[in-house]
Structure formats: C-alpha cells, structure tokens
Amino acid sequence: MPRPRVQIRPRRRPPLHFLPLGGCGEIGMNLSLYGHEERWIAVDCGMMIRQDLPDSPLQVPDLSALGTLGIAPEALIITHGHEDHIGAAAWLWPQWGCPIHATPLAAGLLRAKFAERGLSQDAIRVIEPGEALEIGAFTLRYLPLTHSIPESCALLVAAGDHRVLHTGDWKLDPEPLIGPPVRDETFRALAPVDLVVGDSTNAPLPGHSRSEGEVARALETAIAGCEGRVVVSCFASNLARVLAIGRAAARCGRRISLMGRAMERMVGVARGLGYLDDLPPLVPVRDLGYLPREEVLVIATGSQGEPRAALSRLARDRHPHFSLEAGDTAIFSSRAIPGNERLIERLKHALGLRGVTLMDETNHPELHASGHPAQQELTTLYGWARPRHLLPVHGELRHQHAHQALARELGIEAPLIPRNGDLIRLDGEGLHREARHPQAPRIIHQDEVARLPGLGGDSTARHGELHLALTVAATDRGWTRVGRLLLDASHASPLDEDAFADWLDDCLEEIQVDSLADLPLALRPRLLAWFGDHLRRMPDIHLQILAAEAELSG
C-alpha cells in the first residue's frame, strides 16, 4: 500500500495592514496607520480648514475606528511640517500619549503648537533626515525628498518581510534653494519595494513640476518691473519662496517686512534652525511708512482669501500701520486650494477696487511652483524604487484614479483606490480591502469649551475650577469683548474680577491673529500666566469664546 505523500506548505508571512483616516479622497488632513502582528504606528496627523462652514472651523480625523479595532499607536511619525500633516496633533495626540518623531523644523513647529495649548512637549523627539529608528515591530528610515518646506521626508517602513515606501509630499526639484536635490542612489538602493503609498496631488498633470529656482528668477523679474509698494503673498511654510522673495527684493533695492502671525512664526522657527541666515534684514511693519513707496516689499499671509489674514486686511484698508493704493502691486505666489476660489476672487476684487495691480497664476504662472510630483517625476521615482504595488493617497478621487492609471502603465499593480477608513491588507497574494470603517467629519468648533490644566498639574479637587466665557468681535485694531464677561470662580482662589476684566480687554486688543480659530490659542498662555501671577493656587480653567453676531467698525 503506497504511503501518503506529505505536503509541506510554505509558512504564510504575517500581513502588513494599512489604515488611512485622512488624506484619501481629499487634499489635507493626512493620517495613516500601519499595523503588523498587532503593533501599530501612526504617520502624520493633519487637519484642514473648512472654509465652506461658518467661522471656518477645523476638521480633524475621526479616531473612532481605532477604538473599535483596539488600536493604540506606539509612536506618531511626522514626515514634514505642513499643517495638513501636523495641524491636528495638538488635538488628537493627547488620546495616545505616545512618542512623536519629527525632523527639526517640524518638531519646532509642533513644540510651538503644544505650548499654546498647555501640552507637555516632552514626547516630541527630533530625528535628522537620513536617520533610522526602531519602534515595536517596525524599522523606519527617513529619506530626504524635496518639497515646498524643508526637511520633507519619505519613510521606508519595514515590518517582517514587508518593505513599504511611504512618500509623504514630494517633488524632484533640481534647484530647491534650501537643501540639496534628491539623490537617486538613495532610492535605487531600496529596489524593489513591495508597496508605495504615494502622493497623488499632481498625478493628472503631464511633465515635470516647476523648480523653485525658476520661480526665484521669475519673481525677481516681476518685482523689478513694479513701481509702487509690492505685497507678495505665499504660503508661510514655503521657506524657499520666502527666501527667494527676500533676495529678489534686495536686488531690486527694496526693504522687506513680514505680515501675518503664521509667517512670523514660521520664519522665526526656521531662523532658529539656521535656514534663513541670508534673508535680508527685516523692517518692522510699523516703520514702513517712513520708506519711499518704491523701496517697500511686504511678504504677507492670506493668499487663499482668509478674511482675517494680512492680505485681506490690506484689501479692506484695515491695517493700522500700512495701506495700499493705486499703483501698488499684489503678487500671488501660490495656487488656489480647491474650495477657496470664491474667497480668493472676493479678495482680488477688493484689491482691484483700490487700484492695485494683480499678478497671479492666471496671468503669470511662472510665479508659483507646486510642491508635488507630476507624471514625469512619478515615473522617475518609481523607476528608481521599482515598487510591486501602489496605493494612491493624498488627493481627491480624480487624482487617485490618474495615479492608478499611471501605475498600471508602468507595470505596477494598483488594484485599490483607498478611502478614509479602509482597512487594507498586504500579504503574499497582494493588496486586499479587509473592512471598511466609515469616517464621520469631526469638526472643532471655534466656540467649543476647552479645558486648560493648571500650571502645576495639581488635582482639580484641591484647587477648584474656573469657568470663563466671553463674546468677542474683530475690530480694526484687534479683538474686543462684547457684552458681559461670564466668570465663575466660586470654587477657586479669590479673584479681583474688575482687575481681570481690565487686563483681559487690553490683552484682546494686543492680540494679532488672523481668525477666531487662532484667538483661543493665543489667549490661553496669557491667561495661564496672569492667573499664575494673581492666584495663590492654579485651578483648572474652562474657556469658552463666542463670536459676536456682526463685526464692529471700531
């Protein structure tokens, strides 16, 4: 009787899981999780501004699926410092309390955000581009790529036998102005990788994205042809663009000034890291009136038409130290983010009514360069890394479909278009969608009650609580309180309410922020400092800020 044959089946590799909670089917709010053998890490933690809703609230990823699945990330990994990659960290990270790994610039920006919300910064750990780290089941390496902010990095994510290239945001810029160009040997050494999780933003566009070096030369040509004052608006995070504008201004005999809180913060953090050592000296905005018009150039926030941003205040002639008039020029060195078109057109109309000459992407496309890869760049990078599979992320559905089609032309398997909440498995048989966890929009309202822990971290029971509610309105000079101040300090140390109200009114008028969403962030550290000086023991503080029905003319 023949003996039965013994079949030896190859051991199946434990799968790698991918769970996006933001950044799929949309541009912004990026958050992805990787899991292997029940160990998880999170990559990026971004937000988006909902310009389509009243008061432009923030939207952050919905974490309810993590509770359903029992997922607790062991670390948060940040690829770069853009708001759509770090802007939700101060809201969501406290639910995890895990270490945060970020390159120096992103870490500096995160520290500033955490300080404003009274959060400990101890979890933020700096990693240099090119370095590697091990977290649980994962080994990660930061791979430098060029983008519209310094220190943007792709991640090589290795777990078990799986190797994934998570690109983050990138482009192949041969002349990036800040930092070196991309080194092809870095990515050739990875080949082949099992999976690319890739940026889809410009996948529908043929060719190659414009270099920052080209934009710098175009800006100098444009500024040289201007006669009156010049205001150039760009994204505050595009430090290469800020540097290019500053250099062009100096060559054209103009002095530069910064306008807008986001711009001032970004330049301050970057200078502390040595990125803008050759930026020409800055002139305070209040001193610009002493200079001849042809010697003035302002770098301002507000290219997306934000109503409280610097450029909108100038368009309405509501800046206390600076005005635009006929013969001056406004240069938009940016592209319109989808959804902001109406606000931008309203801003441009207001500038036009003042006789200001406009230069933007419609009549001068050479004045801006995208930070994302077009088709030629995608083809080049994938030729270096030779991925077997692709998941197209970071883009709306049409961008993802274009990225999928390109991958298939290149012989890369791309069977899925990820959506936020899809639990996707990578194993020896390829990519599969295991489950779907629908995501509900999580809106952070600007009048939401926010709890502030006391400075000393003492218990609420011993030191009491203080509830503060106020209604505010924007004025030409800043913010003003409207109506009564609602203050309940019955369970805290005795408080001189009249002295506090006087201080609060002065503080509100001094705060220069662009939107109601930023006001609590600017007010909270000042409140903590004042109460720390005037109360014997620090209570837990509950702050509520409401918007007045109408803006005051003040």
Side-chain angles (χ1 to χ4, degrees):
M1 181 174 179
R3 302 177 65 181
R5 293 182 180 179
V6 176
Q7 290 185 345
I8 300 176
R9 296 181 179 178
R11 187 175 64 89
R12 299 185 67 179
R13 297 188 299 171
L16 179 74
H17 284 95
F18 175 70
L19 175 62
L21 298 182
C24 290
E26 62 197 1
I27 296 177
M29 206 174 70
N30 295 278
L31 170 58
S32 301
L33 291 107
Y34 289 92
H36 183 68
E37 296 189 311
E38 299 184 358
R39 310 288 291 272
W40 290 83
I41 58 171
V43 176
D44 291 328
C45 192
M47 62 83 168
M48 66 169 62
I49 300 175
R50 291 294 299 272
Q51 301 280 15
D52 58 320
L53 296 178
D55 294 331
S56 300
L58 307 180
Q59 181 173 339
V60 300
D62 175 18
L63 300 185
S64 58
L66 302 188
T68 301
L69 295 168
I71 293 173
E74 297 181 38
L76 172 58
I77 313 298
I78 301 297
T79 61
H80 65 283
H82 274 150
E83 285 295 302
D84 62 334
H85 291 257
I86 67 170
W91 301 96
L92 302 184
W93 169 84
Q95 300 182 41
W96 302 333
C98 60
I100 303 172
H101 300 273
T103 52
L105 179 59
L109 297 171
L110 279 170
R111 289 192 181 105
K113 288 178 176 295
F114 277 34
E116 285 181 336
R117 289 190 54 79
L119 298 172
S120 171
Q121 304 166 40
D122 294 342
I124 302 172
R125 303 174 184 180
V126 174
I127 183 169
E128 296 290 338
E131 292 184 348
L133 67 157
E134 292 188 5
I135 300 166
F138 296 89
T139 300
L140 301 106
R141 182 174 294 279
Y142 275 71
L143 306 170
L145 280 167
T146 47
H147 184 43
S148 53
I149 188 173
E151 299 176 2
S152 190
C153 288
L155 298 171
L156 178 65
V157 181
D161 296 325
H162 304 283
R163 298 168 71 249
V164 178
L165 178 61
H166 182 105
T167 69
D169 293 3
W170 64 282
K171 64 187 289 187
L172 296 181
D173 192 337
E175 196 178 357
L177 297 189
I178 295 179
V182 177
R183 300 176 64 231
D184 64 301
E185 56 266 32
T186 298
F187 294 90
R188 292 184 189 276
L190 308 178
V193 295
D194 298 302
L195 171 67
V196 162
V197 177
D199 180 358
S200 306
T201 310
N202 280 347
L205 301 180
H208 198 290
S209 57
R210 187 175 289 111
S211 169
E212 286 294 330
E214 295 179 59
V215 176
R217 290 183 285 275
L219 281 167
E220 183 171 345
T221 299
I223 293 169
C226 298
E227 296 182 354
R229 301 177 186 88
V230 176
V231 175
V232 184
S233 187
C234 64
F235 296 115
S237 59
N238 195 335
L239 295 173
R241 194 74 50 83
V242 171
L243 180 60
I245 296 166
R247 289 172 172 171
R251 294 190 184 107
C252 296
R254 293 180 180 269
R255 306 287 297 279
I256 64 170
S257 183
L258 304 181
M259 190 176 292
R261 178 169 172 264
M263 184 72 67
E264 293 169 357
R265 169 192 283 178
M266 183 66 68
V267 170
V269 173
R271 279 185 146 179
L273 295 170
Y275 277 117
L276 296 175
D277 289 342
D278 53 346
L279 185 71
L282 300 174
V283 176
V285 174
R286 63 179 177 273
D287 294 340
L288 291 177
Y290 299 106
L291 296 175
R293 293 175 60 200
E294 66 274 9
E295 294 182 14
V296 171
L297 186 143
V298 171
I299 309 174
T301 58
S303 64
Q304 299 304 301
E306 303 95 319
R308 285 284 302 170
L311 192 55
S312 289
R313 295 204 306 271
L314 293 177
R316 301 194 307 268
D317 199 24
R318 291 186 174 181
H319 195 281
H321 304 296
F322 188 77
S323 295
L324 291 174
E325 57 190 64
D328 295 339
T329 301
I331 297 175
F332 287 74
S333 187
S334 62
R335 63 177 291 188
I337 295 175
N340 293 342
E341 293 87 355
R342 182 176 58 85
L343 289 172
I344 295 171
E345 286 307 311
R346 183 185 302 169
L347 169 62
K348 291 178 179 178
H349 178 70
L351 290 166
L353 290 177
R354 303 192 64 79
V356 175
T357 300
L358 299 178
M359 303 177 72
D360 59 21
E361 62 179 339
T362 59
N363 55 18
H364 288 277
E366 72 277 7
L367 297 176
H368 176 62
S370 172
H372 301 273
Q375 293 176 5
Q376 184 179 333
E377 291 155 281
L378 292 167
T379 300
T380 299
L381 181 68
Y382 297 165
W384 296 341
R386 292 192 289 120
R388 298 185 178 97
H389 303 86
L390 169 78
L391 284 174
V393 300
H394 200 295
E396 298 172 350
L397 188 59
R398 64 184 181 90
H399 304 103
Q400 293 176 284
H401 277 299
H403 199 175
Q404 181 187 51
L406 177 65
R408 288 172 171 171
E409 290 178 9
L410 298 174
I412 302 169
E413 293 187 33
L416 301 177
I417 297 291
R419 295 180 295 170
N420 295 333
D422 283 351
L423 181 61
I424 296 172
R425 182 180 79 251
L426 172 67
D427 58 22
E429 298 177 357
L431 291 167
H432 311 274
R433 184 180 286 107
E434 275 193 2
R436 168 123 185 93
H437 300 272
Q439 303 294 289
R442 182 178 174 190
I443 303 297
I444 298 177
H445 294 287
Q446 296 164 356
D447 60 354
E448 127 179 70
V449 176
R451 180 177 176 275
L452 286 171
L455 287 176
D458 297 302
S459 73
T460 305
R462 286 169 40 198
H463 293 175
E465 296 182 345
L466 185 149
H467 294 263
L468 171 63
L470 61 149
T471 302
V472 300
T475 72
D476 297 347
R477 296 181 299 276
W479 297 87
T480 188
R481 181 165 57 90
V482 179
R484 291 196 318 118
L485 175 68
L486 301 179
L487 180 66
D488 180 5
S490 56
H491 300 292
S493 302
L495 174 68
D496 185 339
E497 295 188 17
D498 291 337
F500 172 69
D502 290 341
W503 170 84
L504 181 61
D505 289 341
D506 292 340
C507 182
L508 287 169
E509 188 167 335
E510 292 174 359
I511 291 176
Q512 296 292 324
V513 294
D514 296 338
S515 71
L516 187 64
D518 292 329
L519 182 58
L521 303 181
L523 184 58
R524 284 172 186 141
R526 292 171 168 87
L527 284 174
L528 286 173
W530 194 92
F531 287 128
D533 290 339
H534 292 82
L535 296 180
R536 188 163 54 91
R537 292 180 176 178
M538 177 64 69
D540 283 336
I541 301 165
H542 300 261
L543 172 65
Q544 184 176 21
I545 299 180
L546 305 172
E549 290 294 328
E551 184 174 350
L552 300 183
S553 59

